[in-house]
Amino acid sequence: MIFITRKHEFCASHRLYNPNFSDEKNEATFGLCNNKNGHGHNYVLEVTLSGEVCEDTGMVFDLKELKKLTTQEIIAKVDHKNLNVDVDYLSGMIPTAENLAIKFWEILEPKITKGRLHEIKLYESERNYVVYRGGICEPTI
Amino acid sequence: MIFITRKHEFCASHRLYNPNFSDEKNEATFGLCNNKNGHGHNYVLEVTLSGEVCEDTGMVFDLKELKKLTTQEIIAKVDHKNLNVDVDYLSGMIPTAENLAIKFWEILEPKITKGRLHEIKLYESERNYVVYRGGICEPTI
Amino acid sequence: MIFITRKHEFCASHRLYNPNFSDEKNEATFGLCNNKNGHGHNYVLEVTLSGEVCEDTGMVFDLKELKKLTTQEIIAKVDHKNLNVDVDYLSGMIPTAENLAIKFWEILEPKITKGRLHEIKLYESERNYVVYRGGICEPTI
Amino acid sequence: MIFITRKHEFCASHRLYNPNFSDEKNEATFGLCNNKNGHGHNYVLEVTLSGEVCEDTGMVFDLKELKKLTTQEIIAKVDHKNLNVDVDYLSGMIPTAENLAIKFWEILEPKITKGRLHEIKLYESERNYVVYRGGICEPTI
Amino acid sequence: MIFITRKHEFCASHRLYNPNFSDEKNEATFGLCNNKNGHGHNYVLEVTLSGEVCEDTGMVFDLKELKKLTTQEIIAKVDHKNLNVDVDYLSGMIPTAENLAIKFWEILEPKITKGRLHEIKLYESERNYVVYRGGICEPTI
Amino acid sequence: MIFITRKHEFCASHRLYNPNFSDEKNEATFGLCNNKNGHGHNYVLEVTLSGEVCEDTGMVFDLKELKKLTTQEIIAKVDHKNLNVDVDYLSGMIPTAENLAIKFWEILEPKITKGRLHEIKLYESERNYVVYRGGICEPTI
C-alpha cells in the first residue's frame, strides 16, 4: 500500500453567504468573506490515491492519466471562474473550501479505476486548508 | 545605502476587460481573465525602501511603521474585495497587476518620510509577478 | 468528517538543556542547541480541527474564532519571547518542539467547542517538524 | 505518542522503462519519463519517526543521529547519481518514486533503535510525491 | 517602465565535464557534478520583460504569448531531457546553469517584439541560481 | 557578466536595544524585538557574486568554494548562537538585519578572489529581508 499525490492550481472568485440568512447574520458568520462583490484566491488542490505498486511499471496509477482526469473534470470548470455563478456542479452550494473539497471527492472518486481515491486536500491560501477522505469516520488525517 | 522589504498578502477578485473593446477583442486580449463574472487571486505585495542605516537604531525605517502604513493605505482597501468595483482609488482602471503596482507606488511614495520608496513587487500568483520602481527609465530591476 | 487547518507563525529563542545533566551530558545530548546563551527560530504552527460540515454555513468551525483563540492563548505568549524564561506555561520544561506541541495541545483542546482538536503540527525550521494528536496510541499521522 | 520528521534533499537522474516491454509499450506507459538518455529531479525526502517523548530530554529520538543515519545510508548513495546505474540497492528496479520510497523504508526501518519508523515521504517535484508506511494495509496517510 | 516575470519549470539531467580536461581535473573542478552517469534537477526558469504599460490593456506584453513562446522555444526542448545529449542548441557546451541562462537569453531576446527581454533567472535548486541580463556591464541585478 | 547566488541558513537569537537609550525609548523604538530575554529567527542568507563566465568551466566561481568560504567565515560563527553575546565580529553592534548584512559583506568581500561580491540578501523571516551591495549609492536592487 502506497500513496501518490498530484498537485494542481486554479484561481477563482467567490462570496460566502447563505441566502436564507439576514444581512446581519451573513456578516457575523462570514465576515470579510461576505463582501457583496466577492473576492478571490489562488487555490491549490492535492489529489491523493492509494494502491498497490504494480510490479511491471513500479507505479500505482499513471500520473499522466490522473492529471488529465483532474484537469478535465475539476480544474477546467473552476479555473478563472466565479464559484457562486459559473460552475454547474456547485450550483446552490456555499462555496467554502469544505464544500469544494467534498464536491471534488464526489466527482473524482467514481472515476478512479486503479487504486482508490484517498484524500482531497484544498488550500484556499497558504494559511488555510481542508482535508477530506470520503465518509470515513476515523480521524486519520 | 541598504534596502529593506516587507511582505504583505491580500485576496481579491477582478475581471480584466476594456469597456471600449468589443466582446471579441476583450476575449482575444484578456483570455480567461475576461470571464464575465470574474475570478480571483491571493496577491503577495512586497514593499522595498532604500536608505542609510541610522547608527542609533541599526535600522533604515521602523518596519512597524511601514507595516502600519501599508496595511492602512493599501491592504485594508483591497483585501477581500472586488478590484473592479469596491476600491475608490482603482476606479476606471483595468485592474492588471501592472496597474495595481503603479497605483500602490503612487499611494505610498509621498508617505515615506525616512529613506525612500524603492520598489513595489506584486505577485498575482506564484507564476506571475510585476516590479515597479517609479518613473525611472533605467531597467535596473 | 472533514479536517480544517490554520497556520500561524511566531519567533522565539530557546536553549535545550537539562539542569540535572552534567555539562558534558548536555553537550552530548543537545549539541549546538545547548549553546549557553541560546539561539532561536521562526516557528510555524498548524492547528487542525476535525468535524462535520454545518449545512447552514458550509463550515466546520469559524476560522476567525480559531484564529482569535490560537493567537490569544498561544501565539501572544510565545511570540518574540525566550521560551526558557518568559512563558508561564512552559516553566520547568525543556522547550523542545515535542514538548511545545504537547503543551499547545493541552491548552487548546479543552477550548474547542465545535468539532474537536485533531492535530498540532509545529515546524522548528523548514527541515524539522513534529506532529501531536493527543494521547492516541495509533500512529496515524 | 508523537511524530518527528526530518527533511533531506538529493538530486539525481533516472529513466523509467521496463526492459521487458517493447519500445512502444515503454513510451505509452512512461511517456516523457522514458527519454532514452534520462532526465532528473531535485528530490525531497522526509523521514518520520513515531515514539514516546523521553522525559529527561524532551525528545523522541536524537535528530542529529537520524540525520547522520539517513545521510549515510541513503543520501550519500543517491545524491548526484544516476539511479538506473550508480546505486547498488536499486539494481534491477524501475526507479519510480514509489519504488524508491519502499526501498528507503526497507533500508532505514531496521536501523531505527528508539521509537519506530512511521513514514517515508518522497517528492519527485513540487507537484508529485509519494508516501509509504511499510506493509500496513490501513490507508492512514 | 515596469517589469513582468513569468515562471516556468523543467526537469533534466546533465553531467558537468570538459572533454579537454583530464579525469583528475574534471573531478577537481566539477566535484559531484562530474559523476560519469550524470545526475539531474528540477530547474525553475523566470523570464522578465521590461516595457511601458499599454493604456488600452493595462499590460506590457501578453503573458499568454510569453508563456507560449518560452514553452515552445525553450521548455519543450529541455524538459525531461539529458542536457549533454538531447538538445541541439546546447551541443558542445558545458551545461552549467550559467551557460544555460546565456543560451536561453540568446534564443528569446530576438523574439520579444513588445517591450524587451530584461532578465533570465535560472534556479538549479532551491540553493543555487544564476541571473543573466545580456551583455550589460553594469552589475544591476 | 552573470550573477550567481548561493543560499545558506542559520538560526540565532538576538535582542534589539541601544544601551544608551532609556527603557522607554528602547521599547518605543524596537517594540517586541526589545524583549529583555531575547527572541530568535531562522535566518536565510543569499550571497551573490558577479563575474564573467570562464569558457573552460562554464562557471564564474566554484560554488563549492563559495559554500566553504561562507560556511567557515559566517555561518559557523552565527549558527545556533546569541548574536548579542556570542559573536566576536558583532560585538558592540545592534544586531538588526541591516547591520548583519553590512558586516557579512565586509567579511566576505575581500575574500572573493574571482568575480566580485555583488549582493548580500538576508531574510529575518519570510516577511522581512534586507539587501546590501556595498557602498554603492545607486539604488539598483
Side-chain angles (χ1 to χ4, degrees):
Chain A
M1 177 74 70
I2 204 162
F3 304 91
I4 59 166
T5 300
R6 194 166 205 291
K7 188 175 138 184
H8 294 258
E9 285 135 20
F10 63 96
C11 57
S13 60
H14 71 163
R15 179 196 173 191
L16 299 187
Y17 74 108
N18 183 331
N20 300 323
F21 283 7
S22 66
D23 284 1
E24 290 71 25
K25 190 164 180 187
N26 270 317
E27 176 68 21
T29 306
F30 299 108
L32 289 174
C33 300
N34 182 40
N35 179 51
K36 195 181 142 200
N37 300 306
H39 64 288
H41 297 291
N42 301 322
Y43 290 88
V44 175
L45 170 64
E46 292 188 0
V47 176
T48 301
L49 305 188
S50 64
E52 302 293 331
V53 178
C54 169
E55 211 173 321
D56 279 356
T57 64
M59 303 189 297
V60 171
F61 192 97
D62 186 341
L63 276 186
K64 296 188 304 295
E65 282 304 308
L66 180 57
K67 176 184 174 182
K68 199 173 144 190
L69 183 65
T70 308
T71 301
Q72 204 171 275
E73 300 294 329
I74 295 181
I75 302 299
K77 290 172 182 168
V78 291
D79 187 33
H80 283 80
K81 301 294 185 196
N82 181 319
L83 303 177
N84 297 79
V85 181
D86 292 328
V87 189
D88 278 3
Y89 60 70
L90 298 175
S91 175
M93 185 178 281
I94 307 176
T96 57
E98 289 92 325
N99 278 342
L100 293 175
I102 294 170
K103 183 52 75 176
F104 294 165
W105 175 280
E106 291 171 3
I107 291 169
L108 279 185
E109 199 276 337
K111 295 190 158 47
I112 304 298
T113 54
K114 218 173 147 186
R116 67 176 207 82
L117 184 58
H118 173 62
E119 179 179 295
I120 295 290
K121 188 175 191 176
L122 183 66
Y123 290 81
E124 203 170 74
S125 76
E126 290 198 3
R127 302 197 158 273
N128 300 322
Y129 62 85
V130 302
V131 166
Y132 186 62
R133 296 196 173 147
I136 317 170
C137 293
E138 266 321 272
T140 54
I141 203 166
Chain B
M1 176 73 69
I2 203 162
F3 304 91
I4 60 166
T5 300
R6 194 167 204 292
K7 188 175 138 184
H8 294 258
E9 286 136 19
F10 64 95
C11 57
S13 60
H14 70 166
R15 179 196 174 191
L16 299 187
Y17 74 108
N18 184 331
N20 301 321
F21 284 5
S22 66
D23 285 1
E24 290 71 26
K25 189 164 180 188
N26 271 316
E27 177 67 21
T29 307
F30 299 108
L32 289 174
C33 300
N34 181 40
N35 180 50
K36 196 182 141 199
N37 300 306
H39 65 288
H41 298 291
N42 300 322
Y43 290 88
V44 176
L45 171 64
E46 292 188 0
V47 176
T48 300
L49 305 188
S50 64
E52 302 293 331
V53 177
C54 168
E55 211 174 319
D56 279 356
T57 64
M59 304 190 295
V60 170
F61 191 97
D62 186 343
L63 275 187
K64 297 188 303 295
E65 282 303 307
L66 180 58
K67 177 184 175 182
K68 198 172 144 190
L69 183 66
T70 308
T71 301
Q72 203 171 276
E73 300 295 327
I74 295 180
I75 303 299
K77 291 173 182 167
V78 291
D79 187 33
H80 283 80
K81 300 295 184 195
N82 181 319
L83 303 177
N84 297 80
V85 181
D86 291 329
V87 189
D88 278 3
Y89 59 70
L90 298 175
S91 175
M93 185 178 282
I94 305 175
T96 56
E98 289 91 327
N99 278 341
L100 292 175
I102 293 170
K103 182 52 76 175
F104 293 165
W105 174 281
E106 291 171 3
I107 290 170
L108 279 185
E109 199 277 336
K111 294 190 160 45
I112 303 298
T113 55
K114 217 174 148 187
R116 66 178 209 80
L117 183 59
H118 174 62
E119 180 178 295
I120 295 290
K121 189 174 190 176
L122 183 66
Y123 290 81
E124 203 170 74
S125 76
E126 290 198 2
R127 300 197 159 273
N128 300 323
Y129 61 85
V130 302
V131 167
Y132 185 62
R133 297 195 174 148
I136 319 170
C137 292
E138 267 320 273
T140 55
I141 203 165
Chain C
M1 176 73 69
I2 203 160
F3 304 91
I4 59 167
T5 299
R6 195 168 203 293
K7 188 175 137 183
H8 293 258
E9 285 135 19
F10 63 95
C11 56
S13 60
H14 71 166
R15 179 195 173 191
L16 299 187
Y17 73 108
N18 184 330
N20 301 322
F21 284 6
S22 66
D23 284 1
E24 291 70 25
K25 189 163 181 189
N26 271 317
E27 177 68 20
T29 307
F30 299 108
L32 289 174
C33 299
N34 181 41
N35 179 51
K36 195 182 142 201
N37 300 306
H39 64 288
H41 298 292
N42 301 323
Y43 290 88
V44 176
L45 171 64
E46 292 188 0
V47 176
T48 300
L49 305 188
S50 64
E52 302 293 330
V53 178
C54 168
E55 211 174 319
D56 279 356
T57 63
M59 303 190 297
V60 170
F61 192 96
D62 186 343
L63 275 186
K64 297 188 302 294
E65 282 303 308
L66 180 58
K67 177 185 174 182
K68 199 173 143 189
L69 184 65
T70 307
T71 301
Q72 204 172 273
E73 300 294 329
I74 296 179
I75 303 297
K77 291 172 182 165
V78 291
D79 188 33
H80 283 80
K81 301 293 185 197
N82 182 319
L83 302 177
N84 296 80
V85 180
D86 293 326
V87 190
D88 278 3
Y89 58 70
L90 298 176
S91 175
M93 184 177 284
I94 306 175
T96 56
E98 288 91 327
N99 278 342
L100 293 175
I102 293 170
K103 183 51 76 176
F104 293 165
W105 174 281
E106 291 171 3
I107 291 170
L108 278 185
E109 198 276 337
K111 295 191 158 44
I112 304 298
T113 55
K114 218 174 148 188
R116 65 177 209 82
L117 184 59
H118 174 63
E119 179 178 295
I120 295 290
K121 189 174 191 176
L122 182 66
Y123 290 81
E124 204 170 74
S125 76
E126 291 198 3
R127 301 199 159 273
N128 300 323
Y129 61 86
V130 302
V131 166
Y132 185 62
R133 297 195 175 149
I136 318 171
C137 292
E138 266 320 274
T140 56
I141 202 164
Chain D
M1 176 73 69
I2 202 160
F3 304 91
I4 59 166
T5 300
R6 197 168 201 293
K7 188 174 137 184
H8 293 258
E9 285 135 20
F10 63 96
C11 58
S13 60
H14 70 166
R15 179 196 174 192
L16 300 187
Y17 74 107
N18 184 330
N20 301 322
F21 285 4
S22 66
D23 285 1
E24 289 71 24
K25 190 164 181 186
N26 271 317
E27 176 69 21
T29 306
F30 299 108
L32 290 174
C33 300
N34 182 41
N35 179 51
K36 196 181 142 199
N37 300 306
H39 64 289
H41 298 289
N42 301 322
Y43 290 88
V44 176
L45 170 64
E46 292 187 0
V47 177
T48 301
L49 305 188
S50 63
E52 303 292 331
V53 178
C54 169
E55 212 173 320
D56 279 356
T57 64
M59 303 189 299
V60 171
F61 192 96
D62 186 343
L63 276 186
K64 298 187 302 295
E65 282 303 308
L66 180 57
K67 176 183 173 182
K68 198 172 144 190
L69 184 65
T70 308
T71 300
Q72 203 171 275
E73 300 294 328
I74 296 181
I75 302 298
K77 292 173 181 165
V78 291
D79 187 33
H80 283 81
K81 300 293 185 196
N82 181 319
L83 303 177
N84 297 80
V85 181
D86 292 328
V87 190
D88 278 3
Y89 58 69
L90 298 176
S91 174
M93 185 178 284
I94 307 176
T96 57
E98 289 91 327
N99 279 342
L100 293 174
I102 293 170
K103 184 50 76 176
F104 294 165
W105 174 282
E106 291 170 3
I107 291 169
L108 278 185
E109 199 276 337
K111 295 190 159 47
I112 303 298
T113 55
K114 216 174 149 187
R116 66 177 209 81
L117 183 58
H118 174 62
E119 180 178 295
I120 295 290
K121 189 174 190 177
L122 183 66
Y123 290 81
E124 203 169 75
S125 76
E126 291 198 3
R127 302 197 158 273
N128 300 322
Y129 62 85
V130 302
V131 166
Y132 185 62
R133 295 194 176 149
I136 318 170
C137 292
E138 266 321 273
T140 53
I141 201 164
Chain E
M1 176 75 68
I2 203 161
F3 304 91
I4 59 168
T5 299
R6 195 166 203 293
K7 188 175 139 183
H8 293 259
E9 285 134 20
F10 63 95
C11 57
S13 60
H14 70 166
R15 178 195 174 192
L16 299 187
Y17 74 108
N18 184 331
N20 300 323
F21 284 5
S22 66
D23 285 0
E24 290 71 24
K25 188 163 181 189
N26 271 317
E27 177 68 21
T29 307
F30 299 109
L32 289 174
C33 300
N34 182 40
N35 179 51
K36 195 181 142 198
N37 301 306
H39 64 288
H41 298 290
N42 301 323
Y43 290 88
V44 176
L45 170 64
E46 293 188 358
V47 177
T48 301
L49 305 188
S50 64
E52 303 292 330
V53 178
C54 168
E55 211 174 319
D56 280 355
T57 64
M59 303 189 298
V60 170
F61 192 97
D62 186 343
L63 276 185
K64 299 188 301 296
E65 283 302 308
L66 179 58
K67 176 185 174 182
K68 197 172 145 190
L69 183 66
T70 308
T71 301
Q72 204 171 274
E73 300 294 329
I74 295 180
I75 303 298
K77 292 173 181 166
V78 291
D79 188 34
H80 283 81
K81 301 293 184 196
N82 181 319
L83 303 177
N84 296 79
V85 181
D86 293 326
V87 189
D88 279 3
Y89 59 69
L90 299 176
S91 174
M93 184 178 285
I94 306 176
T96 56
E98 289 91 326
N99 278 342
L100 293 174
I102 293 169
K103 184 50 77 175
F104 294 166
W105 174 281
E106 290 171 3
I107 291 169
L108 279 186
E109 199 276 338
K111 294 190 160 43
I112 303 298
T113 55
K114 219 175 147 185
R116 65 176 209 82
L117 183 59
H118 174 62
E119 179 178 295
I120 295 290
K121 189 175 191 176
L122 182 66
Y123 290 81
E124 204 170 74
S125 77
E126 291 198 3
R127 302 197 158 273
N128 300 323
Y129 61 85
V130 302
V131 166
Y132 185 62
R133 297 195 173 148
I136 318 171
C137 292
E138 266 321 273
T140 55
I141 203 165
Chain F
M1 176 73 69
I2 202 161
F3 304 92
I4 59 166
T5 299
R6 196 168 202 291
K7 187 175 138 184
H8 294 259
E9 285 136 19
F10 63 95
C11 56
S13 60
H14 71 164
R15 178 195 174 193
L16 300 187
Y17 73 108
N18 184 330
N20 301 322
F21 284 5
S22 66
D23 284 1
E24 290 71 23
K25 190 164 181 186
N26 271 317
E27 176 68 20
T29 306
F30 299 109
L32 290 174
C33 300
N34 182 40
N35 180 51
K36 196 182 141 199
N37 300 307
H39 64 287
H41 299 290
N42 300 323
Y43 290 88
V44 176
L45 171 64
E46 293 188 1
V47 176
T48 301
L49 305 188
S50 64
E52 303 293 330
V53 178
C54 168
E55 213 173 319
D56 279 357
T57 64
M59 304 189 297
V60 170
F61 192 97
D62 185 343
L63 276 186
K64 296 188 304 295
E65 282 303 308
L66 179 58
K67 176 184 174 181
K68 198 172 144 190
L69 183 66
T70 308
T71 301
Q72 203 171 276
E73 300 294 329
I74 295 181
I75 302 299
K77 292 173 182 166
V78 291
D79 188 32
H80 283 81
K81 300 295 185 196
N82 181 319
L83 302 178
N84 297 80
V85 181
D86 292 328
V87 190
D88 279 2
Y89 58 70
L90 298 176
S91 174
M93 186 178 284
I94 306 176
T96 57
E98 288 92 326
N99 278 342
L100 293 174
I102 293 170
K103 183 52 75 176
F104 294 165
W105 174 282
E106 291 170 3
I107 291 169
L108 279 185
E109 200 276 337
K111 296 191 157 45
I112 304 298
T113 54
K114 217 174 148 188
R116 66 177 208 84
L117 183 58
H118 173 62
E119 179 179 295
I120 295 290
K121 189 175 190 176
L122 182 66
Y123 290 80
E124 203 170 74
S125 76
E126 290 199 3
R127 302 197 158 273
N128 300 322
Y129 62 84
V130 303
V131 166
Y132 185 62
R133 295 194 175 149
I136 317 171
C137 293
E138 266 320 273
T140 54
I141 201 165

